[in-house]
Amino acid sequence: MVDIATRVYNHKWKIDPIVRSLIDTDFYKLLMCQSVFRNRPTTSVTFSLINRSTRIRLAELIDEGELREQLDHARSLTLARGESTWLRGNTFYGKRQMFRPDFMAFLEGLRLPAYHLEKHDGQYLLTFEGPWPQVMLWEIPALAILMELRSRAVLRDMGRFELQVLYARAMTRLWEKIEALRGIGDLRIADFGTRRRHSFLWQDWAVQAMIEGLGERFTGTSNCLIAMRRDIEAIGTNAHELPMVYAALAEGDDRLRRAPYDVLADWHEEHDGNLRIILPDTYGTPGFLEHAPDWLAGWTGIRIDSGDPAEGAETAIRWWQSRGEDPRQKLVIFSDGLDVDKIIELHGRFHGRVKVSFGWGTLLTNDFRGLVAGDGLAPFSLVCKAVAADGRPTVKLSDNPAKATGPADEIARYRRVFDVQAQVAQPVTV
Amino acid sequence: MVDIATRVYNHKWKIDPIVRSLIDTDFYKLLMCQSVFRNRPTTSVTFSLINRSTRIRLAELIDEGELREQLDHARSLTLARGESTWLRGNTFYGKRQMFRPDFMAFLEGLRLPAYHLEKHDGQYLLTFEGPWPQVMLWEIPALAILMELRSRAVLRDMGRFELQVLYARAMTRLWEKIEALRGIGDLRIADFGTRRRHSFLWQDWAVQAMIEGLGERFTGTSNCLIAMRRDIEAIGTNAHELPMVYAALAEGDDRLRRAPYDVLADWHEEHDGNLRIILPDTYGTPGFLEHAPDWLAGWTGIRIDSGDPAEGAETAIRWWQSRGEDPRQKLVIFSDGLDVDKIIELHGRFHGRVKVSFGWGTLLTNDFRGLVAGDGLAPFSLVCKAVAADGRPTVKLSDNPAKATGPADEIARYRRVFDVQAQVAQPVTV
């Protein structure tokens, strides 16, 4: 039987919206947003979309009108009552009322601010400028919209069964990954794939497959909307944008040098337990750890997000030992460019030595490599970063020189201030 | 939105019926039924289900109560008005009113007759006894019910995503077969897979995938219900049961020897064009062709259903040449144990020499080999054959001694009467 009402209701959509909820975003964006709302509410920040894979000419693939419709739709969203209730009432990492009433009031009144869009050399220049707590919430929806519009563009001319088989192939591939991971008894793995997902529905499918296939070993998703709908844990801590903006705002080299620790001091005040995770690589992991205050060694763990991951974990283990901490009590979260083989290898090397956990991103939610002609659905490296704060440029170095961003002279200054030695370049694919 | 009425309606089903229509059967059963209804309406025939793959212990896999429910449901079916209209009004092979009014009246009044079911040694003994035009219509639904109950039994304990991935894998496999067949420009291929299909829905999916993937190269399906719903051609001619019953009824060796030609003489009167297809292997192809009357050489083509298919086609070509016919004007339909490699090989060898066509069966509609643990979904050799006519046993020899059926002494007599020489055994898997 055809459900006539559903059909008629569906006819009323002018577009098929990609982002349909303000909480279709990563949990850590909300955590960071609360921190920023408290500590730096008036800082003006510019976020900019950057396609590191210049061979993918997004402005030729994606119609500008469609892109504007999707961005405009995202701007029309407000926090739904049930979403607010879920954020206010949920227990995150065992803690209730993670979000303070003043922050919730801010979020309930929020709409995403204006965007600026133009085309240049086959790419879209998409920027968001305004108060940090508002513009920062554009990052994930902007990425998700671009990623999914690109998927739609590539899939547009395919037949109905061709499409079904495409998804059948992708499902089979993902399930085989999950079957391979079942072999690891004490695995702990979460979905970190919102930002570069193939589509919302595909991420939702991937999460459900992980729930059925991995059971307790699947610890949750970074996506708040999916966490709410599938009744699983929302996962996340903090990201590079905090030290990048704090650093940009710092006056002089001494304050610059202290900026990454100022971020974590603010964070320390607010959070404990599983939220006390160090992200050490913004300006080079070895220097960050060497100069870190002792209280940081007491934190729960570390997230390894660039450079050679095994080397990063070994560096962290040596650091904890040098500070009199027992690495076996510490959590190491690997979250950079993971796929099954790497997960199995890293788990094999580090389980028993530290508590090992994985944040699996693009190759969980967007592995369509080789599934269409010309490999048109292969994931690519699209990011949306804070590029300026109160008119001053931001800089990120990371543990991979290929990921460094910012003006060349500022990169040089940061490398000097943070005492960054020679780094080994890693290919950046996703 | 949930369609409440649909949900409530679905609750009313006591079972999930496997066969939901009297025309969920092969088109040639209806063609043969009309011939039998005209020529041998009162002959009493016994059909019997035979599982040649004794390692599959069906009576242990399938609950007897469920089997009876499904068989009883099939007995409750009558021809629906729209089905009758389709049969009366459709054009088959370019001809209208293929079915005569008296036969349609018979079919509109028909219900499937009683069945007899018992268990023995891990197998079901399922027999149908009664007037030939009625009991013959049990063959396809009985096979489809047993095949699908076996699929359901194997799938019963699988999770939701595990199931989705199972079908994703099967879809991928089938689509890759279709992609391989796309390489053959002048391919002509039909679905002959009703009797040993994985399930009705799966056959329906396979047909739709063939429509999209092969376009005009896909010539139709043997399944009347799917042909009607998908608006494609219903395909079929005649089968072994006609000569088997005619032969069983023949008095003495001379009439036995003539019986296979009597069948085709009756058929000749009724049909022309694409329905004049010789099925020569019931009692050995070489002898059948050697002793065939000249008018048979004028028929449209031949169906190769046992033995080495290339050898069978070469035999047919030599025979046509010996009778002064041009093989390039003749149709050769391969229909035994086909899969993509064999199809490509046979097409390569015979296209240009004859008109080549394929009736693709079990490995189109039931290729789940290797997709579950223990290979529990692999197709197996289940048949439902006329075993007796007016109390006399039937015999089938075919071109493969492994497929011979009937009492040993009668097999010996038939081999003598039909002058069958040594045959090469071919493995029977599907």
Side-chain angles (χ1 to χ4, degrees):
Chain A
M1 277 184 232
V2 174
D3 177 346
I4 302 171
T6 299
R7 284 280 286 269
V8 172
Y9 180 76
N10 288 344
H11 287 156
K12 298 194 301 185
W13 289 98
K14 284 202 211 66
I15 58 167
D16 181 2
I18 290 170
V19 173
R20 299 180 179 205
S21 159
L22 271 190
I23 68 164
D24 180 11
T25 193
D26 278 344
F27 180 54
Y28 78 172
K29 289 302 292 197
L30 300 183
L31 290 174
M32 291 190 292
C33 188
Q34 174 168 257
S35 177
V36 167
F37 176 75
R38 178 184 191 168
N39 298 302
R40 308 282 172 119
T42 59
T43 300
S44 173
V45 172
T46 304
F47 272 75
S48 180
L49 190 92
I50 299 156
N51 178 11
R52 295 179 191 147
S53 308
T54 47
R55 72 182 190 287
I56 314 277
R57 297 176 70 81
L58 287 177
E60 292 167 8
L61 269 172
I62 297 169
D63 178 73
E64 185 176 333
E66 279 184 54
L67 174 55
R68 287 186 183 275
E69 280 177 340
Q70 292 291 344
L71 294 168
D72 292 342
H73 181 79
R75 291 198 65 206
S76 77
L77 298 171
T78 55
L79 199 65
R81 181 188 294 259
E83 295 165 349
S84 175
T85 303
W86 182 81
L87 288 172
R88 285 176 182 270
N90 203 357
T91 305
F92 299 99
Y93 296 115
K95 183 177 168 182
R96 282 212 186 273
Q97 287 172 315
M98 174 83 71
F99 296 106
R100 292 187 308 273
D102 60 336
F103 176 67
M104 285 307 306
F106 157 76
L107 213 54
E108 284 161 355
L110 180 87
R111 281 177 186 247
L112 290 173
Y115 60 89
H116 182 78
L117 177 68
E118 47 188 293
K119 282 187 193 181
H120 179 69
D121 192 24
Q123 300 294 341
Y124 284 115
L125 303 180
L126 178 59
T127 52
F128 312 97
E129 195 175 344
W132 190 7
Q134 294 177 27
V135 293
M136 67 186 295
L137 293 178
W138 257 119
E139 177 186 359
I140 307 298
L143 290 170
I145 285 170
L146 263 298
M147 291 305 295
E148 188 160 344
L149 282 179
R150 183 264 204 154
S151 301
R152 290 184 185 181
V154 173
L155 301 177
R156 187 158 294 143
D157 297 328
M158 287 176 71
R160 187 170 148 222
F161 281 73
E162 210 179 355
L163 279 171
Q164 194 171 10
V165 170
L166 171 75
Y167 285 103
R169 284 176 170 150
M171 285 175 183
T172 301
R173 174 178 292 174
L174 177 51
W175 192 255
E176 281 166 5
K177 293 184 184 189
I178 291 171
E179 284 178 329
L181 292 176
R182 277 183 178 165
I184 310 177
D186 59 345
L187 180 69
R188 295 182 64 75
I189 191 164
D191 158 36
F192 276 22
T194 301
R195 68 189 53 221
R196 252 168 262 146
R197 68 191 182 197
H198 169 80
S199 72
F200 173 78
L201 289 177
W202 180 248
Q203 184 184 16
D204 192 38
W205 191 90
V207 166
Q208 293 176 76
M210 295 280 275
I211 293 171
E212 180 178 303
L214 293 179
E216 293 297 311
R217 284 169 284 195
F218 178 58
T219 56
T221 173
S222 61
N223 187 294
C224 296
L225 183 64
I226 294 175
M228 181 177 83
R229 293 213 182 138
R230 302 296 164 204
D231 202 18
I232 55 177
E233 186 98 0
I235 300 276
T237 58
N238 57 75
H240 300 105
E241 75 174 277
L242 295 178
M244 285 166 72
V245 172
Y246 275 54
L249 298 174
E251 299 282 352
D253 290 357
D254 283 345
R255 300 196 68 156
L256 173 58
R257 199 175 286 113
R258 257 205 341 261
Y261 309 112
D262 292 343
V263 168
L264 298 183
D266 285 349
W267 197 261
H268 191 86
E269 247 183 79
E270 210 160 332
H271 298 298
D272 52 21
N274 271 345
L275 285 172
R276 286 193 180 160
I277 300 295
I278 305 164
L279 179 65
D281 67 327
T282 314
Y283 304 118
T285 296
F288 176 90
L289 293 178
E290 195 186 325
H291 303 112
D294 277 337
W295 55 264
L296 258 185
W299 275 31
T300 305
I302 203 165
R303 180 156 75 92
I304 311 286
D305 199 47
S306 63
D308 176 57
E311 187 44 51
E314 297 289 1
T315 302
I317 288 171
R318 284 192 301 271
W319 175 66
W320 281 314
Q321 287 167 335
S322 76
R323 301 291 176 107
E325 299 282 337
D326 179 0
R328 286 173 305 176
Q329 304 303 318
K330 297 296 185 182
L331 182 63
V332 173
I333 304 175
F334 296 102
S335 64
D336 181 36
L338 294 174
D339 206 358
V340 166
D341 289 349
K342 180 63 79 178
I343 291 168
I344 292 172
E345 176 196 327
L346 290 169
H347 180 272
R349 178 160 169 178
F350 291 102
H351 86 119
R353 299 174 61 199
V354 293
K355 297 179 185 171
V356 183
S357 181
F358 299 92
W360 194 8
T362 310
L363 294 177
L364 168 61
T365 60
N366 199 1
D367 189 358
F368 285 67
R369 291 174 296 179
L371 295 185
V372 297
D375 211 6
L377 287 180
F380 63 106
S381 191
L382 189 69
V383 297
C384 184
K385 292 284 179 204
V387 293
D390 286 346
R392 302 151 74 115
T394 67
V395 170
K396 180 185 171 192
L397 300 177
S398 93
D399 289 330
N400 182 358
K403 278 185 165 181
T405 59
D409 57 338
E410 286 294 308
I411 290 179
R413 173 177 166 242
Y414 275 60
R415 290 181 66 90
R416 175 177 54 72
V417 168
F418 290 104
D419 192 23
V420 174
Q421 306 301 314
Q423 294 174 316
V424 180
Q426 304 275 333
V428 179
T429 54
V430 290
Chain B
M1 279 182 231
V2 174
D3 176 347
I4 301 172
T6 300
R7 284 281 286 270
V8 172
Y9 179 76
N10 288 344
H11 287 157
K12 298 195 301 185
W13 290 97
K14 283 203 212 66
I15 58 167
D16 181 0
I18 291 170
V19 173
R20 299 182 178 203
S21 158
L22 271 190
I23 68 164
D24 181 10
T25 194
D26 278 343
F27 180 52
Y28 77 172
K29 290 301 291 197
L30 299 183
L31 291 175
M32 290 190 292
C33 188
Q34 174 167 257
S35 178
V36 168
F37 175 75
R38 176 184 191 170
N39 298 301
R40 308 283 171 119
T42 59
T43 300
S44 174
V45 171
T46 305
F47 271 76
S48 181
L49 190 92
I50 299 157
N51 178 9
R52 295 178 190 148
S53 308
T54 48
R55 74 183 190 285
I56 314 277
R57 298 177 68 81
L58 287 177
E60 291 168 9
L61 269 172
I62 298 169
D63 179 72
E64 185 176 332
E66 279 184 52
L67 174 54
R68 286 186 183 276
E69 281 177 339
Q70 292 291 345
L71 295 168
D72 291 343
H73 182 80
R75 289 198 65 205
S76 76
L77 299 170
T78 54
L79 199 67
R81 182 188 293 261
E83 295 166 349
S84 174
T85 303
W86 183 79
L87 288 173
R88 284 175 183 272
N90 203 355
T91 303
F92 299 99
Y93 296 115
K95 183 178 168 181
R96 281 212 187 273
Q97 287 172 316
M98 173 81 71
F99 296 106
R100 291 187 310 272
D102 60 335
F103 175 67
M104 285 306 305
F106 157 77
L107 213 55
E108 283 161 356
L110 179 89
R111 280 177 187 248
L112 290 173
Y115 61 88
H116 182 80
L117 177 67
E118 47 188 295
K119 282 188 193 180
H120 179 70
D121 192 23
Q123 300 296 339
Y124 283 115
L125 303 180
L126 178 57
T127 52
F128 311 97
E129 196 175 343
W132 191 6
Q134 295 178 25
V135 293
M136 67 186 297
L137 293 179
W138 258 119
E139 178 185 358
I140 306 299
L143 290 170
I145 286 170
L146 263 298
M147 292 305 296
E148 189 161 345
L149 282 179
R150 184 266 203 152
S151 301
R152 290 185 185 180
V154 172
L155 301 177
R156 188 158 294 145
D157 297 328
M158 288 175 71
R160 187 170 146 221
F161 281 75
E162 211 179 354
L163 278 172
Q164 195 172 10
V165 170
L166 171 74
Y167 285 103
R169 284 175 169 150
M171 285 175 183
T172 301
R173 174 179 293 175
L174 177 52
W175 192 255
E176 282 166 3
K177 292 184 185 190
I178 291 171
E179 285 179 328
L181 292 178
R182 277 182 178 166
I184 311 177
D186 59 344
L187 180 69
R188 294 183 63 75
I189 191 164
D191 158 36
F192 276 21
T194 301
R195 66 189 54 220
R196 252 167 264 146
R197 67 192 183 197
H198 170 80
S199 71
F200 173 78
L201 290 177
W202 181 249
Q203 183 183 18
D204 192 39
W205 191 90
V207 165
Q208 292 176 77
M210 295 280 275
I211 292 171
E212 181 177 303
L214 294 179
E216 293 296 312
R217 283 169 285 196
F218 178 57
T219 56
T221 174
S222 62
N223 187 294
C224 296
L225 183 64
I226 295 175
M228 181 177 84
R229 291 212 184 138
R230 303 297 164 201
D231 203 16
I232 55 176
E233 186 97 1
I235 300 277
T237 58
N238 57 74
H240 301 104
E241 74 174 277
L242 295 177
M244 286 167 72
V245 172
Y246 275 53
L249 297 174
E251 298 283 350
D253 290 356
D254 283 346
R255 301 197 67 157
L256 172 59
R257 198 173 289 113
R258 256 204 344 261
Y261 307 113
D262 292 343
V263 167
L264 298 185
D266 284 350
W267 197 261
H268 191 87
E269 248 182 76
E270 212 160 331
H271 299 298
D272 51 21
N274 271 346
L275 285 172
R276 286 191 180 162
I277 300 294
I278 304 165
L279 180 64
D281 67 328
T282 314
Y283 303 118
T285 296
F288 176 90
L289 293 178
E290 196 186 325
H291 302 113
D294 277 336
W295 54 264
L296 259 185
W299 274 31
T300 305
I302 203 164
R303 181 157 75 92
I304 311 285
D305 199 47
S306 63
D308 176 57
E311 187 43 50
E314 297 290 1
T315 302
I317 289 171
R318 284 193 301 270
W319 175 67
W320 280 314
Q321 286 167 333
S322 76
R323 300 292 176 108
E325 299 281 337
D326 179 0
R328 287 173 303 176
Q329 304 305 317
K330 296 296 183 182
L331 182 62
V332 172
I333 304 174
F334 296 102
S335 64
D336 182 35
L338 294 175
D339 207 356
V340 165
D341 289 348
K342 179 63 79 177
I343 291 168
I344 292 172
E345 176 195 327
L346 289 170
H347 180 271
R349 178 160 169 178
F350 291 102
H351 86 119
R353 299 175 60 199
V354 293
K355 296 178 184 169
V356 183
S357 180
F358 299 92
W360 194 7
T362 310
L363 293 177
L364 168 62
T365 60
N366 198 1
D367 190 358
F368 285 66
R369 291 173 296 179
L371 296 185
V372 297
D375 211 5
L377 286 179
F380 63 106
S381 190
L382 189 70
V383 296
C384 184
K385 291 284 179 201
V387 294
D390 286 347
R392 302 150 75 113
T394 67
V395 170
K396 180 186 171 192
L397 301 177
S398 93
D399 290 329
N400 181 358
K403 278 186 167 180
T405 59
D409 56 339
E410 285 294 307
I411 289 180
R413 174 177 164 241
Y414 275 61
R415 290 180 66 89
R416 175 176 53 73
V417 167
F418 290 104
D419 194 22
V420 174
Q421 307 300 313
Q423 295 173 316
V424 181
Q426 305 274 334
V428 178
T429 53
V430 291

